[in-house]
Amino acid sequence: MGVGTNLKKLRSKTKLSQQEIADMLGLDRNTYTNWENEATDIKSSYIPKLAEIFEVSIVDLFEAGNKQSNYNNLENADLKDNAIGQKDIQQGIIINITDSEAAKVISTQLEELIKALNK
């Protein structure tokens, strides 16, 4: 399952239209529609904003299946009171991984890193 499918599922959960999402991003609806249909790739500069709109982590935009990461929602991860905060995470590195096995390994490593940073 690709990022476009994830975008569709997340949008249906929020009950927002493609036009509403496009407006929030300052885009033409067709551009957003092409992302959902996986006709074009998402520009990396829009990924953090999409995660913010859908209230998920960036990783969750790319993960296959219904699995939700342990750090899905920054508020639930309680990172605000730790050395690394929400602003720091939003200014992080974006990695687009198309191999699902590699994504699982990296996701696990990221979870371990976040746990270590929270100690």
Side-chain angles (χ1 to χ4, degrees), residues 21 25 28 37 45 56 71 73 89-90 95 103 105:
I21 301 290
L25 297 168
D28 182 72
N37 294 330
S45 59
V56 298
Y71 49 94
N73 188 331
I89 290 173
Q90 289 178 346
I95 303 169
V105 170

Side-chain angles (χ1 to χ4, degrees), residues 17 24 33 46 79 118:
S17 69
M24 290 178 195
T33 301
Y46 291 102
L79 295 174
N118 285 330

Side-chain angles (χ1 to χ4, degrees), residues 35 41-50 58 62 94 96:
W35 294 350
D41 290 333
I42 302 169
K43 283 190 173 182
S44 61
S45 59
Y46 291 102
I47 293 171
K49 182 66 176 169
L50 284 165
I58 290 171
F62 296 93
I94 297 171
N96 186 0

Side-chain angles (χ1 to χ4, degrees), residues 57-77:
S57 73
I58 290 171
V59 173
D60 291 329
L61 291 175
F62 296 93
E63 282 188 339
N66 294 329
K67 175 184 171 271
Q68 297 213 348
S69 72
N70 291 332
Y71 49 94
N72 179 17
N73 188 331
L74 292 174
E75 292 174 298
N76 291 340

Side-chain angles (χ1 to χ4, degrees), residues 1-4 6 38 41-42 44 47 58-65 71 93-111:
M1 173 168 48
V3 68
N6 289 343
E38 298 182 12
D41 290 333
I42 302 169
S44 61
I47 293 171
I58 290 171
V59 173
D60 291 329
L61 291 175
F62 296 93
E63 282 188 339
Y71 49 94
I93 298 170
I94 297 171
I95 303 169
N96 186 0
I97 304 165
T98 56
D99 181 290
S100 63
E101 289 302 314
K104 288 177 189 176
V105 170
I106 291 174
S107 177
T108 300
Q109 291 173 341
L110 286 172
E111 288 173 1

Side-chain angles (χ1 to χ4, degrees), residues 8-19:
K8 284 179 190 177
K9 286 183 177 186
L10 290 166
R11 185 175 54 79
S12 72
K13 285 182 184 178
T14 62
K15 303 202 185 314
L16 294 169
S17 69
Q18 289 179 334
Q19 184 64 57

